[in-house]
């Protein structure tokens, strides 16, 4: 058995700010955390592609058209992409500081618990609702189904699209649950394919600037700011879309206990991954504008890259692009379920879930099979249950919104730590800086508030019949549901049963610690 911390980092215990024996219904006697060295199978390349694959899904092949439509001009569109890149880079630095200061599986769970310690495990309850009830991997699984069917020239309908999506997410679940090493290798291969696809788009775009096109040159850069919109809703929504295209910079943080030399690896992998993605995004946008006329960009919707390939390589290239986009979606699904399964496992290891021992397990093949299964199950329900239209789009939007709320408290927590370093003994090997933490905090407040800005006209509503703000309210409700669970588990039941919960740390056969809560009945 080995410690999860290395490189002269922090010890294995959260520093105590006060005695733990007087905490009402919960007594926390130890914060010791251990893992097995055999689980460290993620090297630098795999860590880079964990982040790269999570960030690049299908967005860069489609969202530039929506962002251009909302901003109104090439110049403003590119400025919005730059702004999104800066916000993402700030987020990466915030998570880099937390990840190197608390290098263990769990990501935000650890950072929130470290800062917000009273009442004990309340913040864990809120985070539990966010992790358990949202199926992040579902959306790109459905996109995978759509593009595979397009490539096969099969008419897409509700059930064949979702059926192929079900096969996609099931394959990702089984690969990561039963063949961890092969799952990492496949992620790396798919990440490399994405890189090649984007480089192909970029080089073809620069060739188009030189006149190598199947159509007349669009001249989008002649007056780059022509058509700039003054719509507040348009600019707000465009920036929101860009920022969400960068989500995933923290993906390696969820698997720190499985990374070789975790502090050094994260310090290299995270900046490299986001730098590569940022450059690729900017150059890909320039390539799109070099090839596709502005009217076609606006009308292309989700298939902007298809218009690009047709204008550069001819009509037959669009079918090949569908395969490329499907592979990109599959790489994203692999990356998402990999990290989300580990979050479920960490909540199981914390002991706050029902049947925690089951969710904390590494059986049968030294991977978090049951944690992966939980995320697979929720994602499948989200994929198959709601009908097409508003209900389905609503579910997908509910999944994404709560992350901005989590990031607000992560950034606020880091700002708080800067003013209370001695109390928390906070001296990590990497520092984001107060200005970066404040910038990231304000950007996520923007992300949380922006969706409440009313559309300029009813036609801009993202739903046909639902209120445009509904997914935001429900997203907050999902986080609140975790708080309700904590109230029942930590306050109501101990009060009714006349007991308190005392945390004990046990070491499993796999060498990993997990927590159990024992009921100590009062006399």
């Amino acid at each position: 058995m080995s410690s999860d911390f290395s490189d002269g980092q922090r010890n294995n215990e959260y520093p105590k700010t006060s005695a733990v024996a007087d905490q009402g219904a919960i007594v926390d006697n130890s914060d010791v955390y251990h893992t097995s060295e055999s689980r460290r199978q993620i090297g630098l390349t795999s860590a880079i592609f964990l982040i790269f694959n999570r960030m690049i899904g299908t967005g860069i092949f489609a969202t530039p058209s929506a962002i251009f439509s909302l901003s109104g001009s090439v110049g403003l569109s590119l400025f919005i992409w730059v702004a999104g890149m800066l916000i993402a880079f700030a987020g990466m630095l915030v998570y880099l500081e937390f990840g190197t200061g608390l290098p263990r599986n769990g990501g935000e769970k650890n950072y929130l618990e470290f800062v917000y310690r009273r009442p004990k495990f309340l913040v864990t309850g809120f985070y539990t609702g966010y992790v358990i009830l949202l199926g992040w991997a579902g959306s790109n699984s459905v996109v995978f189904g759509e593009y595979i069917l397009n490539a096969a020239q099969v008419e897409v309908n509700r059930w064949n699209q979702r059926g192929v999506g079900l096969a996609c997410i099931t394959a990702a679940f089984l690969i990561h649950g039963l063949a961890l090493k092969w799952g990492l290798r496949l992620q790396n291969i798919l990440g490399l394919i994405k890189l090649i696809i984007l480089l192909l788009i970029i080089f073809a775009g620069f060739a188009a600037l030189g006149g190598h096109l199947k159509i007349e040159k669009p001249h989008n850069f002649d007056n780059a700011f022509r058509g700039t919109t003054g719509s507040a809703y348009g600019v707000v929504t465009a920036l929101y879309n860009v920022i969400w295209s960068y989500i995933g910079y923290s993906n390696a943080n969820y698997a720190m206990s499985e990374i070789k030399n975790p502090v050094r690896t994260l310090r290299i992998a995270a900046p490299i991954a986001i730098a590569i993605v940022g450059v690729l995004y900017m150059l890909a946008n320039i390539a799109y504008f070099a090839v596709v006329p502005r009217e076609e960009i606006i009308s292309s919707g989700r298939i902007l890259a298809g218009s690009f390939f047709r204008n550069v390589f001819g009509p037959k290239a669009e079918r090949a692009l569908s395969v490329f986009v499907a592979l990109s979606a599959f790489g994203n699904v692999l990356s998402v379920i990999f990290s989300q399964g580990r979050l479920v496992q960490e909540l199981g290891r914390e002991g706050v879930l029902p049947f925690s021992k089951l969710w904390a397990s590494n059986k049968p093949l030294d991977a978090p099979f049951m944690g992966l299964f939980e995320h697979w199950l929720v994602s499948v329900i989200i994929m198959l249950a709601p009908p097409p239209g508003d209900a389905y789009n609503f579910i997908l939007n509910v999944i994404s919104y709560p992350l901005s709320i989590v990031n607000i408290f992560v950034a606020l927590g880091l700002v708080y730590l800067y003013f209370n370093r001695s109390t928390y003994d906070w001296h990590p090997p990497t520092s984001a800086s107060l200005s970066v933490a404040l910038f990231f905090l304000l950007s996520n407040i923007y992300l949380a508030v922006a969706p409440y800005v009313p559309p300029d006209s009813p036609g801009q509503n993202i739903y046909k019949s639902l209120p445009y703000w509904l997914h935001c309210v429900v997203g907050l409700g999902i986080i609140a549901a975790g708080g309700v669970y904590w109230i029942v588990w930590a306050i109501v039941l101990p009060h009714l049963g006349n007991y308190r919960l005392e945390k004990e740390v046990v070491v499993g056969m796999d060498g990993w610690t997990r927590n159990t809560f024992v009921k100590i009945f009062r006399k």
Side-chain angles (χ1 to χ4, degrees), residues 85-111:
M85 178 175 61
L86 293 176
I87 292 171
F89 195 80
M92 181 274 296
L93 290 175
V94 168
Y95 274 84
L96 183 60
E97 176 166 350
F98 268 125
T100 55
L102 299 168
R104 55 197 251 187
N105 277 18
E108 303 101 339
K109 170 190 168 295
N110 303 322
Y111 317 150

PDB file of all heavy atoms in Angstrom, residues 85-111:
ATOM      1  N   MET A  85     -11.322  31.336 -24.836  1.00  0.00           N
ATOM      2  CA  MET A  85     -10.040  30.673 -24.597  1.00  0.00           C
ATOM      3  C   MET A  85      -9.381  31.211 -23.325  1.00  0.00           C
ATOM      4  O   MET A  85      -8.822  30.439 -22.528  1.00  0.00           O
ATOM      5  CB  MET A  85      -9.117  30.882 -25.796  1.00  0.00           C
ATOM      6  CG  MET A  85      -7.736  30.271 -25.639  1.00  0.00           C
ATOM      7  SD  MET A  85      -6.730  30.425 -27.146  1.00  0.00           S
ATOM      8  CE  MET A  85      -6.651  32.201 -27.320  1.00  0.00           C
ATOM      9  N   LEU A  86      -9.447  32.518 -23.107  1.00  0.00           N
ATOM     10  CA  LEU A  86      -8.854  33.112 -21.903  1.00  0.00           C
ATOM     11  C   LEU A  86      -9.558  32.620 -20.638  1.00  0.00           C
ATOM     12  O   LEU A  86      -8.912  32.332 -19.623  1.00  0.00           O
ATOM     13  CB  LEU A  86      -8.924  34.636 -21.991  1.00  0.00           C
ATOM     14  CG  LEU A  86      -8.068  35.289 -23.081  1.00  0.00           C
ATOM     15  CD1 LEU A  86      -8.313  36.792 -23.125  1.00  0.00           C
ATOM     16  CD2 LEU A  86      -6.587  35.001 -22.862  1.00  0.00           C
ATOM     17  N   ILE A  87     -10.873  32.516 -20.695  1.00  0.00           N
ATOM     18  CA  ILE A  87     -11.617  32.020 -19.534  1.00  0.00           C
ATOM     19  C   ILE A  87     -11.255  30.568 -19.260  1.00  0.00           C
ATOM     20  O   ILE A  87     -11.057  30.156 -18.104  1.00  0.00           O
ATOM     21  CB  ILE A  87     -13.131  32.182 -19.773  1.00  0.00           C
ATOM     22  CG1 ILE A  87     -13.491  33.668 -19.798  1.00  0.00           C
ATOM     23  CG2 ILE A  87     -13.938  31.449 -18.693  1.00  0.00           C
ATOM     24  CD1 ILE A  87     -14.916  33.958 -20.231  1.00  0.00           C
ATOM     25  N   ALA A  88     -11.157  29.765 -20.320  1.00  0.00           N
ATOM     26  CA  ALA A  88     -10.785  28.361 -20.150  1.00  0.00           C
ATOM     27  C   ALA A  88      -9.375  28.233 -19.585  1.00  0.00           C
ATOM     28  O   ALA A  88      -9.113  27.364 -18.733  1.00  0.00           O
ATOM     29  CB  ALA A  88     -10.884  27.630 -21.485  1.00  0.00           C
ATOM     30  N   PHE A  89      -8.457  29.078 -20.032  1.00  0.00           N
ATOM     31  CA  PHE A  89      -7.086  29.019 -19.527  1.00  0.00           C
ATOM     32  C   PHE A  89      -7.053  29.383 -18.041  1.00  0.00           C
ATOM     33  O   PHE A  89      -6.315  28.763 -17.258  1.00  0.00           O
ATOM     34  CB  PHE A  89      -6.190  29.959 -20.324  1.00  0.00           C
ATOM     35  CG  PHE A  89      -4.715  29.704 -20.120  1.00  0.00           C
ATOM     36  CD1 PHE A  89      -4.078  28.684 -20.796  1.00  0.00           C
ATOM     37  CD2 PHE A  89      -3.982  30.477 -19.242  1.00  0.00           C
ATOM     38  CE1 PHE A  89      -2.722  28.438 -20.602  1.00  0.00           C
ATOM     39  CE2 PHE A  89      -2.635  30.241 -19.036  1.00  0.00           C
ATOM     40  CZ  PHE A  89      -1.998  29.216 -19.726  1.00  0.00           C
ATOM     41  N   ALA A  90      -7.868  30.360 -17.643  1.00  0.00           N
ATOM     42  CA  ALA A  90      -7.951  30.708 -16.223  1.00  0.00           C
ATOM     43  C   ALA A  90      -8.495  29.535 -15.420  1.00  0.00           C
ATOM     44  O   ALA A  90      -7.999  29.223 -14.330  1.00  0.00           O
ATOM     45  CB  ALA A  90      -8.844  31.935 -16.041  1.00  0.00           C
ATOM     46  N   GLY A  91      -9.514  28.864 -15.954  1.00  0.00           N
ATOM     47  CA  GLY A  91     -10.061  27.692 -15.279  1.00  0.00           C
ATOM     48  C   GLY A  91      -9.039  26.591 -15.136  1.00  0.00           C
ATOM     49  O   GLY A  91      -8.957  25.923 -14.087  1.00  0.00           O
ATOM     50  N   MET A  92      -8.244  26.385 -16.179  1.00  0.00           N
ATOM     51  CA  MET A  92      -7.205  25.364 -16.121  1.00  0.00           C
ATOM     52  C   MET A  92      -6.210  25.670 -15.007  1.00  0.00           C
ATOM     53  O   MET A  92      -5.801  24.779 -14.258  1.00  0.00           O
ATOM     54  CB  MET A  92      -6.484  25.282 -17.467  1.00  0.00           C
ATOM     55  CG  MET A  92      -5.384  24.222 -17.554  1.00  0.00           C
ATOM     56  SD  MET A  92      -3.760  24.810 -16.957  1.00  0.00           S
ATOM     57  CE  MET A  92      -3.404  26.101 -18.152  1.00  0.00           C
ATOM     58  N   LEU A  93      -5.824  26.938 -14.846  1.00  0.00           N
ATOM     59  CA  LEU A  93      -4.867  27.312 -13.810  1.00  0.00           C
ATOM     60  C   LEU A  93      -5.450  27.110 -12.411  1.00  0.00           C
ATOM     61  O   LEU A  93      -4.747  26.665 -11.491  1.00  0.00           O
ATOM     62  CB  LEU A  93      -4.448  28.773 -13.995  1.00  0.00           C
ATOM     63  CG  LEU A  93      -3.572  29.065 -15.224  1.00  0.00           C
ATOM     64  CD1 LEU A  93      -3.338  30.563 -15.366  1.00  0.00           C
ATOM     65  CD2 LEU A  93      -2.236  28.325 -15.148  1.00  0.00           C
ATOM     66  N   VAL A  94      -6.740  27.426 -12.243  1.00  0.00           N
ATOM     67  CA  VAL A  94      -7.391  27.206 -10.952  1.00  0.00           C
ATOM     68  C   VAL A  94      -7.394  25.724 -10.608  1.00  0.00           C
ATOM     69  O   VAL A  94      -7.034  25.311  -9.492  1.00  0.00           O
ATOM     70  CB  VAL A  94      -8.827  27.766 -10.970  1.00  0.00           C
ATOM     71  CG1 VAL A  94      -9.612  27.287  -9.749  1.00  0.00           C
ATOM     72  CG2 VAL A  94      -8.799  29.289 -11.013  1.00  0.00           C
ATOM     73  N   TYR A  95      -7.783  24.895 -11.564  1.00  0.00           N
ATOM     74  CA  TYR A  95      -7.818  23.451 -11.315  1.00  0.00           C
ATOM     75  C   TYR A  95      -6.418  22.863 -11.202  1.00  0.00           C
ATOM     76  O   TYR A  95      -6.208  21.857 -10.526  1.00  0.00           O
ATOM     77  CB  TYR A  95      -8.612  22.749 -12.423  1.00  0.00           C
ATOM     78  CG  TYR A  95     -10.091  22.733 -12.157  1.00  0.00           C
ATOM     79  CD1 TYR A  95     -10.889  23.815 -12.500  1.00  0.00           C
ATOM     80  CD2 TYR A  95     -10.706  21.640 -11.544  1.00  0.00           C
ATOM     81  CE1 TYR A  95     -12.249  23.817 -12.251  1.00  0.00           C
ATOM     82  CE2 TYR A  95     -12.065  21.629 -11.285  1.00  0.00           C
ATOM     83  CZ  TYR A  95     -12.833  22.729 -11.636  1.00  0.00           C
ATOM     84  OH  TYR A  95     -14.174  22.718 -11.379  1.00  0.00           O
ATOM     85  N   LEU A  96      -5.446  23.479 -11.859  1.00  0.00           N
ATOM     86  CA  LEU A  96      -4.066  23.019 -11.737  1.00  0.00           C
ATOM     87  C   LEU A  96      -3.560  23.246 -10.314  1.00  0.00           C
ATOM     88  O   LEU A  96      -2.886  22.368  -9.741  1.00  0.00           O
ATOM     89  CB  LEU A  96      -3.182  23.760 -12.745  1.00  0.00           C
ATOM     90  CG  LEU A  96      -1.713  23.340 -12.808  1.00  0.00           C
ATOM     91  CD1 LEU A  96      -1.588  21.870 -13.187  1.00  0.00           C
ATOM     92  CD2 LEU A  96      -0.963  24.217 -13.815  1.00  0.00           C
ATOM     93  N   GLU A  97      -3.875  24.396  -9.731  1.00  0.00           N
ATOM     94  CA  GLU A  97      -3.456  24.641  -8.344  1.00  0.00           C
ATOM     95  C   GLU A  97      -4.113  23.647  -7.399  1.00  0.00           C
ATOM     96  O   GLU A  97      -3.446  23.044  -6.550  1.00  0.00           O
ATOM     97  CB  GLU A  97      -3.788  26.062  -7.921  1.00  0.00           C
ATOM     98  CG  GLU A  97      -3.453  26.316  -6.457  1.00  0.00           C
ATOM     99  CD  GLU A  97      -3.434  27.779  -6.068  1.00  0.00           C
ATOM    100  OE1 GLU A  97      -3.489  28.642  -6.962  1.00  0.00           O
ATOM    101  OE2 GLU A  97      -3.358  28.056  -4.851  1.00  0.00           O
ATOM    102  N   PHE A  98      -5.416  23.465  -7.523  1.00  0.00           N
ATOM    103  CA  PHE A  98      -6.094  22.515  -6.642  1.00  0.00           C
ATOM    104  C   PHE A  98      -5.606  21.084  -6.902  1.00  0.00           C
ATOM    105  O   PHE A  98      -5.417  20.309  -5.965  1.00  0.00           O
ATOM    106  CB  PHE A  98      -7.604  22.585  -6.861  1.00  0.00           C
ATOM    107  CG  PHE A  98      -8.308  23.548  -5.958  1.00  0.00           C
ATOM    108  CD1 PHE A  98      -9.106  24.556  -6.486  1.00  0.00           C
ATOM    109  CD2 PHE A  98      -8.192  23.450  -4.583  1.00  0.00           C
ATOM    110  CE1 PHE A  98      -9.772  25.447  -5.652  1.00  0.00           C
ATOM    111  CE2 PHE A  98      -8.854  24.331  -3.738  1.00  0.00           C
ATOM    112  CZ  PHE A  98      -9.648  25.341  -4.277  1.00  0.00           C
ATOM    113  N   GLY A  99      -5.409  20.726  -8.163  1.00  0.00           N
ATOM    114  CA  GLY A  99      -5.004  19.365  -8.497  1.00  0.00           C
ATOM    115  C   GLY A  99      -3.624  19.015  -7.988  1.00  0.00           C
ATOM    116  O   GLY A  99      -3.378  17.884  -7.552  1.00  0.00           O
ATOM    117  N   THR A 100      -2.700  19.981  -8.014  1.00  0.00           N
ATOM    118  CA  THR A 100      -1.352  19.714  -7.508  1.00  0.00           C
ATOM    119  C   THR A 100      -1.291  19.838  -5.989  1.00  0.00           C
ATOM    120  O   THR A 100      -0.414  19.259  -5.349  1.00  0.00           O
ATOM    121  CB  THR A 100      -0.334  20.673  -8.145  1.00  0.00           C
ATOM    122  OG1 THR A 100      -0.742  22.035  -7.921  1.00  0.00           O
ATOM    123  CG2 THR A 100      -0.219  20.419  -9.641  1.00  0.00           C
ATOM    124  N   GLY A 101      -2.231  20.593  -5.397  1.00  0.00           N
ATOM    125  CA  GLY A 101      -2.266  20.707  -3.950  1.00  0.00           C
ATOM    126  C   GLY A 101      -2.965  19.537  -3.275  1.00  0.00           C
ATOM    127  O   GLY A 101      -2.625  19.156  -2.161  1.00  0.00           O
ATOM    128  N   LEU A 102      -3.941  18.949  -3.977  1.00  0.00           N
ATOM    129  CA  LEU A 102      -4.696  17.789  -3.469  1.00  0.00           C
ATOM    130  C   LEU A 102      -4.753  16.733  -4.573  1.00  0.00           C
ATOM    131  O   LEU A 102      -5.798  16.492  -5.165  1.00  0.00           O
ATOM    132  CB  LEU A 102      -6.116  18.229  -3.074  1.00  0.00           C
ATOM    133  CG  LEU A 102      -6.228  19.290  -1.975  1.00  0.00           C
ATOM    134  CD1 LEU A 102      -7.647  19.829  -1.900  1.00  0.00           C
ATOM    135  CD2 LEU A 102      -5.794  18.717  -0.632  1.00  0.00           C
ATOM    136  N   PRO A 103      -3.616  16.088  -4.864  1.00  0.00           N
ATOM    137  CA  PRO A 103      -3.534  15.191  -6.021  1.00  0.00           C
ATOM    138  C   PRO A 103      -4.134  13.812  -5.769  1.00  0.00           C
ATOM    139  O   PRO A 103      -3.419  12.836  -5.510  1.00  0.00           O
ATOM    140  CB  PRO A 103      -2.024  15.112  -6.292  1.00  0.00           C
ATOM    141  CG  PRO A 103      -1.410  15.312  -4.952  1.00  0.00           C
ATOM    142  CD  PRO A 103      -2.311  16.227  -4.191  1.00  0.00           C
ATOM    143  N   ARG A 104      -5.441  13.714  -5.843  1.00  0.00           N
ATOM    144  CA  ARG A 104      -6.122  12.446  -5.649  1.00  0.00           C
ATOM    145  C   ARG A 104      -7.405  12.436  -6.469  1.00  0.00           C
ATOM    146  O   ARG A 104      -7.917  13.487  -6.867  1.00  0.00           O
ATOM    147  CB  ARG A 104      -6.434  12.237  -4.167  1.00  0.00           C
ATOM    148  CG  ARG A 104      -7.221  13.360  -3.541  1.00  0.00           C
ATOM    149  CD  ARG A 104      -7.150  13.332  -2.030  1.00  0.00           C
ATOM    150  NE  ARG A 104      -8.395  12.928  -1.418  1.00  0.00           N
ATOM    151  CZ  ARG A 104      -8.628  12.956  -0.105  1.00  0.00           C
ATOM    152  NH1 ARG A 104      -7.670  13.344   0.720  1.00  0.00           N
ATOM    153  NH2 ARG A 104      -9.782  12.580   0.390  1.00  0.00           N
ATOM    154  N   ASN A 105      -7.916  11.267  -6.739  1.00  0.00           N
ATOM    155  CA  ASN A 105      -9.137  11.144  -7.527  1.00  0.00           C
ATOM    156  C   ASN A 105     -10.272  11.948  -6.904  1.00  0.00           C
ATOM    157  O   ASN A 105     -10.379  12.044  -5.685  1.00  0.00           O
ATOM    158  CB  ASN A 105      -9.574   9.672  -7.608  1.00  0.00           C
ATOM    159  CG  ASN A 105      -8.845   8.904  -8.689  1.00  0.00           C
ATOM    160  OD1 ASN A 105      -7.796   9.330  -9.162  1.00  0.00           O
ATOM    161  ND2 ASN A 105      -9.396   7.764  -9.081  1.00  0.00           N
ATOM    162  N   GLY A 106     -11.124  12.505  -7.763  1.00  0.00           N
ATOM    163  CA  GLY A 106     -12.313  13.170  -7.248  1.00  0.00           C
ATOM    164  C   GLY A 106     -12.525  14.598  -7.699  1.00  0.00           C
ATOM    165  O   GLY A 106     -13.633  15.103  -7.649  1.00  0.00           O
ATOM    166  N   GLY A 107     -11.464  15.273  -8.154  1.00  0.00           N
ATOM    167  CA  GLY A 107     -11.645  16.621  -8.672  1.00  0.00           C
ATOM    168  C   GLY A 107     -12.313  17.566  -7.694  1.00  0.00           C
ATOM    169  O   GLY A 107     -11.897  17.699  -6.543  1.00  0.00           O
ATOM    170  N   GLU A 108     -13.386  18.213  -8.159  1.00  0.00           N
ATOM    171  CA  GLU A 108     -14.039  19.257  -7.365  1.00  0.00           C
ATOM    172  C   GLU A 108     -14.518  18.764  -6.006  1.00  0.00           C
ATOM    173  O   GLU A 108     -14.572  19.544  -5.038  1.00  0.00           O
ATOM    174  CB  GLU A 108     -15.245  19.837  -8.112  1.00  0.00           C
ATOM    175  CG  GLU A 108     -14.939  20.414  -9.463  1.00  0.00           C
ATOM    176  CD  GLU A 108     -15.316  19.460 -10.579  1.00  0.00           C
ATOM    177  OE1 GLU A 108     -15.431  18.240 -10.310  1.00  0.00           O
ATOM    178  OE2 GLU A 108     -15.496  19.927 -11.713  1.00  0.00           O
ATOM    179  N   LYS A 109     -14.863  17.506  -5.907  1.00  0.00           N
ATOM    180  CA  LYS A 109     -15.312  16.955  -4.624  1.00  0.00           C
ATOM    181  C   LYS A 109     -14.272  17.239  -3.539  1.00  0.00           C
ATOM    182  O   LYS A 109     -14.607  17.707  -2.444  1.00  0.00           O
ATOM    183  CB  LYS A 109     -15.551  15.458  -4.747  1.00  0.00           C
ATOM    184  CG  LYS A 109     -15.799  14.750  -3.422  1.00  0.00           C
ATOM    185  CD  LYS A 109     -15.775  13.254  -3.582  1.00  0.00           C
ATOM    186  CE  LYS A 109     -15.724  12.562  -2.233  1.00  0.00           C
ATOM    187  NZ  LYS A 109     -14.475  12.841  -1.490  1.00  0.00           N
ATOM    188  N   ASN A 110     -13.011  16.966  -3.838  1.00  0.00           N
ATOM    189  CA  ASN A 110     -11.940  17.182  -2.860  1.00  0.00           C
ATOM    190  C   ASN A 110     -11.746  18.659  -2.546  1.00  0.00           C
ATOM    191  O   ASN A 110     -11.531  19.045  -1.396  1.00  0.00           O
ATOM    192  CB  ASN A 110     -10.625  16.601  -3.372  1.00  0.00           C
ATOM    193  CG  ASN A 110     -10.739  15.132  -3.695  1.00  0.00           C
ATOM    194  OD1 ASN A 110     -11.407  14.384  -2.993  1.00  0.00           O
ATOM    195  ND2 ASN A 110     -10.093  14.705  -4.768  1.00  0.00           N
ATOM    196  N   TYR A 111     -11.812  19.485  -3.588  1.00  0.00           N
ATOM    197  CA  TYR A 111     -11.529  20.906  -3.402  1.00  0.00           C
ATOM    198  C   TYR A 111     -12.629  21.563  -2.573  1.00  0.00           C
ATOM    199  O   TYR A 111     -12.341  22.377  -1.691  1.00  0.00           O
ATOM    200  CB  TYR A 111     -11.392  21.595  -4.757  1.00  0.00           C
ATOM    201  CG  TYR A 111     -10.589  20.809  -5.761  1.00  0.00           C
ATOM    202  CD1 TYR A 111     -10.842  20.902  -7.130  1.00  0.00           C
ATOM    203  CD2 TYR A 111      -9.568  19.938  -5.353  1.00  0.00           C
ATOM    204  CE1 TYR A 111     -10.114  20.172  -8.055  1.00  0.00           C
ATOM    205  CE2 TYR A 111      -8.842  19.202  -6.272  1.00  0.00           C
ATOM    206  CZ  TYR A 111      -9.128  19.314  -7.619  1.00  0.00           C
ATOM    207  OH  TYR A 111      -8.416  18.581  -8.530  1.00  0.00           O
TER     208      TYR A 111
END
